[in-house]
Amino acid sequence: MITANYCRHFTVAFLLALVCVPQSLCAQTIEQDTLGTQLLNEVRKCFNDNDEGAFYIAAEKYRDYHLKENKLPEYYSGWTFEVLYDVNHNHFYRALRKTTLMQNDMRKRKAEDEYYQVTHLRGIIYSLRGNMELAHQYFERALEEVDHSQPAKLSSIYMDLANIDMDTKPADAMKHLECAISIIKAKSGTYEYSDAIGFKTIVAFAMRDWKTVNQAYQEYMKLKETLGNNFSTTYYQYVMICKKTADRQYEEAIQLTNLLTNSTDQYKFQTEIYELAGDVHKAFEAQKRYMAVKDSVDNVIMSEELIGSANDLAQMESEQNACEERNQRTMWTMLAIFPVACLVPFAMCQYNKRKFTKKLQQQNQELKIARDKAKESERMKINFIKNMSHEIRTPLNIISGFAQVISDPDTELGQEERTEIASRITNSAQSIVNIINEILDISGKESIHYIDKNDTISCNDLAKQVLKNFQVGEQENDLHFVSSLKDSFKIKTNAQETEKILHHLMHNACKFTSHGDITLSCSLDDMEENMVCFSVTDTGKGIKDGEEEKIFEHFYKVDAYKEGVGLGLPLARRIARQMGGDVILDTTYQEGSRFILRLPKA
């Protein structure tokens, strides 16, 4: 079974229900506070619009009004609206920072009864970012902090716990949901009760408990007939999809998924329905579309977090500059006062000034170096996370998905289909192994400065062996070997590491040359007589101007859509330099790319 993760959309949908239409919860407040109700309605109206400025103004007015009225629960609800709005627009970094400001404000005003709100919101943020373990910890802590005499607060936390446990621990999710339902029943929250029954249908679907799906569906439709305007339609479309699937009306269920506005949910439901229908190929295609949409959303989130980090860095630099200015003013004040006050120690003042200035310049230089290192570290971290998140998650999803398909006794597969699935699983596993090997290689080579050169090798024989390895299998390029060296010509080096470098260069050439020629050649270096050159020349897409040295940086990729994490060329250059040589790009060659490995003869 290919597990579907609906956590993100259902959490947002439930929160929208709480924010936009909590009639039963707010009835008394509406009757008693007309102005407060007007401000709340304005917040709700702006919540669903894309006018960010208008929403923040409405939320600020709502907070200021209730703070003036000394209504702290409503005041912090204004903060909550902003955090949920940021989450709903993928501004997770901004939302998390606001919870910190909110917590500091609570401590300042000694609002201990409201601490649970920050804990609850952090659980929501981490659940939507995919960190379910940390989200679970925050929700459990929120249950400890919340006032148990207020059922609405308790039920929302239990609903969130059910949400994050739905895919991995559906039985636990159902227990949390039953707790929420019992609480809602006790307080007669008809709107929230219909929401909870709709969600129960979805959890039962995740459990493949078709009996419970049918029972929950019957109760949900009965509530629809009896509640009227107090009935929540938040999960209506999802309930209908679950019912159609439970009745094995798969085509109708697929048609209903096409009506979902959230493409992530659409493709995940389609994956599960096609799997239940036994259509493995369509299930696989739906899974691929889901991964593409999810990667797109994750990239938007990562970009927003990167911008937030950059803004924090800019603020730190601004504070640093202000500190430097204060130091400069202090220095000039000292220089102006001491000579006037006392001419005798003038020479000492000059000496102190030079010493202080030198120390200040040194500190500034150290700060700049530290800042540059921090920026570089941040850039490498972002590139690493981005590359690894795509390059490892994709084959892992393929392995997980197909492993569950072939292990499902109800799935009927032909021998040809099983062979194709086994091949995909094997290739995906090998991709992960190759990535890990590259990371281990680069980390290992960073910790040493010299490689033993105790092997005597024939340049031509080694190059022919490398070329032979790439001629095995499906190869759409013409591979050639050219050498101006005699077969008896030998050098003293490290054979294993030299072969590894040539393998990286040949792999890159094959990867970026769709159809063409790739030539591996050996020759003496024209510039230095004690050096020998191995070159790999292709007729592929080539290297753009300005990227000649960037391609040797860790995690840099010329084409983000090609496989790999951007470590091959940096690793090849690192190894070559540790053996007294180098790997360079021949910028005079314009028909594709030519990389040259230069090594000493001995």
Side-chain angles (χ1 to χ4, degrees), residues 235-465:
Y235 299 127
Y236 181 80
Q237 201 69 33
Y238 297 89
V239 170
M240 299 305 297
I241 292 171
C242 295
K243 173 61 176 172
K244 291 292 183 183
T245 305
D247 293 340
R248 298 188 178 182
Q249 298 177 7
Y250 301 123
E251 289 297 327
E252 291 88 337
I254 290 295
Q255 291 176 7
L256 288 174
T257 63
N258 292 328
L259 301 178
L260 296 177
T261 57
N262 185 283
S263 56
T264 304
D265 291 349
Q266 176 185 344
Y267 295 137
K268 291 301 288 184
F269 262 117
Q270 288 179 2
T271 300
E272 295 232 334
I273 295 169
Y274 281 131
E275 179 200 342
L276 291 168
D279 195 332
V280 177
H281 293 293
K282 287 186 178 180
F284 177 65
E285 290 300 318
Q287 181 78 351
K288 287 199 300 184
R289 288 193 292 270
Y290 164 76
M291 290 304 303
V293 171
K294 190 172 183 298
D295 282 346
S296 177
V297 173
D298 287 344
N299 286 336
V300 171
I301 294 172
M302 185 177 293
S303 298
E304 194 274 340
E305 291 180 343
L306 181 59
I307 292 172
S309 299
N311 290 337
D312 284 349
L313 183 59
Q315 183 178 354
M316 289 174 61
E317 290 179 349
S318 176
E319 292 173 356
Q320 174 188 326
N321 292 334
C323 181
E324 291 178 0
E325 291 176 1
R326 288 195 296 270
N327 289 339
Q328 291 286 352
R329 287 196 297 269
T330 301
M331 181 186 69
W332 289 112
T333 300
M334 291 174 62
L335 292 175
I337 294 175
F338 282 113
V340 174
C342 187
L343 295 176
V344 175
F346 177 80
M348 184 62 69
C349 289
Q350 290 291 330
Y351 171 78
N352 288 337
K353 183 191 78 171
R354 287 194 299 270
K355 184 178 179 180
F356 180 82
T357 302
K358 184 177 180 181
K359 182 178 180 181
L360 183 61
Q361 290 173 345
Q362 182 179 355
Q363 289 176 343
N364 290 342
Q365 185 63 27
E366 290 173 354
L367 285 172
K368 290 179 180 178
I369 293 173
R371 181 194 63 190
D372 293 340
K373 286 183 177 179
K375 286 183 177 179
E376 178 64 14
S377 175
E378 183 70 11
R379 184 191 67 77
M380 290 180 63
K381 182 187 75 174
I382 294 299
N383 286 341
F384 177 79
I385 293 173
K386 181 178 179 182
N387 289 334
M388 294 300 288
S389 115
H390 174 75
E391 293 298 332
I392 289 184
R393 186 174 60 242
T394 299
L396 276 178
N397 277 313
I398 293 174
I399 293 172
S400 175
F402 278 123
Q404 293 178 60
V405 169
I406 64 178
S407 65
D408 189 347
D410 297 330
T411 303
E412 297 181 0
L413 296 173
Q415 184 59 40
E416 183 177 344
E417 290 176 315
R418 287 186 179 276
T419 301
E420 180 184 353
I421 289 174
S423 176
R424 287 178 178 268
I425 291 175
T426 301
N427 293 338
S428 297
Q430 188 58 47
S431 296
I432 296 175
V433 170
N434 292 339
I435 290 170
I436 293 174
N437 284 340
E438 283 191 3
I439 295 172
L440 292 176
D441 273 350
I442 197 69
S443 62
K445 294 302 183 296
E446 291 288 350
S447 63
I448 61 175
H449 300 283
Y450 179 80
I451 294 177
D452 291 334
K453 299 185 294 181
N454 298 324
D455 303 322
T456 301
I457 64 169
S458 167
C459 295
N460 289 349
D461 290 345
L462 180 65
K464 289 176 183 177
Q465 180 59 44

Side-chain angles (χ1 to χ4, degrees), residues 70-127:
N70 199 28
K71 296 179 179 179
L72 291 184
E74 290 79 4
Y75 167 68
Y76 289 117
S77 293
W79 286 82
T80 301
F81 293 150
E82 280 199 22
V83 172
L84 297 183
Y85 183 90
D86 291 337
V87 165
N88 198 39
H89 289 77
N90 294 325
H91 300 314
F92 291 94
Y93 187 88
R94 186 189 305 174
L96 202 57
R97 290 201 62 187
K98 283 183 180 176
T99 62
T100 301
L101 297 175
M102 188 174 174
Q103 186 178 53
N104 293 337
D105 190 86
M106 288 177 177
R107 289 172 178 168
K108 174 185 174 183
R109 302 182 193 282
K110 302 185 184 307
E112 291 86 1
D113 292 341
E114 305 303 320
Y115 282 176
Y116 86 96
Q117 289 197 47
V118 170
T119 308
H120 188 194
L121 287 172
R122 287 175 176 169
I124 293 170
I125 293 169
Y126 283 113
S127 70

Side-chain angles (χ1 to χ4, degrees), residues 472-538:
V472 178
E474 297 181 1
Q475 178 56 246
E476 297 179 351
N477 301 300
D478 294 325
L479 305 182
H480 309 281
F481 173 69
V482 177
S483 179
S484 61
L485 304 177
K486 295 181 180 180
D487 288 342
S488 60
F489 184 87
K490 297 181 179 181
I491 64 173
K492 195 170 183 64
T493 186
N494 187 300
Q496 181 180 356
E497 300 296 345
T498 303
E499 184 177 356
K500 184 181 296 183
I501 295 173
L502 292 179
H503 176 85
H504 281 302
L505 299 182
M506 284 293 298
H507 178 73
N508 269 8
C510 292
K511 182 164 63 174
F512 292 100
T513 305
S514 299
H515 298 281
D517 296 307
I518 298 175
T519 303
L520 175 58
S521 62
C522 303
S523 64
L524 292 175
D525 195 320
D526 294 333
M527 300 179 64
E528 295 185 49
E529 62 179 9
N530 66 329
M531 301 291 284
V532 64
C533 294
F534 297 85
S535 66
V536 177
T537 305
D538 63 60

Side-chain angles (χ1 to χ4, degrees), residues 170-231:
D172 290 346
M174 187 62 79
K175 291 179 182 178
H176 295 314
L177 188 55
E178 292 295 348
C179 289
I181 291 173
S182 63
I183 292 171
I184 294 170
K185 272 186 177 180
K187 70 181 182 64
S188 301
T190 54
Y191 186 90
E192 295 78 13
Y193 183 73
S194 60
D195 242 340
I197 297 302
F199 192 26
K200 183 177 181 179
T201 309
I202 300 164
V203 175
F205 175 89
M207 298 174 68
R208 300 296 189 265
D209 184 352
W210 306 122
K211 180 179 178 181
T212 304
V213 168
N214 286 314
Q215 291 174 348
Y217 169 79
Q218 295 297 332
E219 185 175 4
Y220 187 74
M221 297 308 293
K222 186 176 180 180
L223 290 170
K224 184 176 185 294
E225 293 177 1
T226 58
L227 294 183
N229 292 333
N230 285 328
F231 176 78

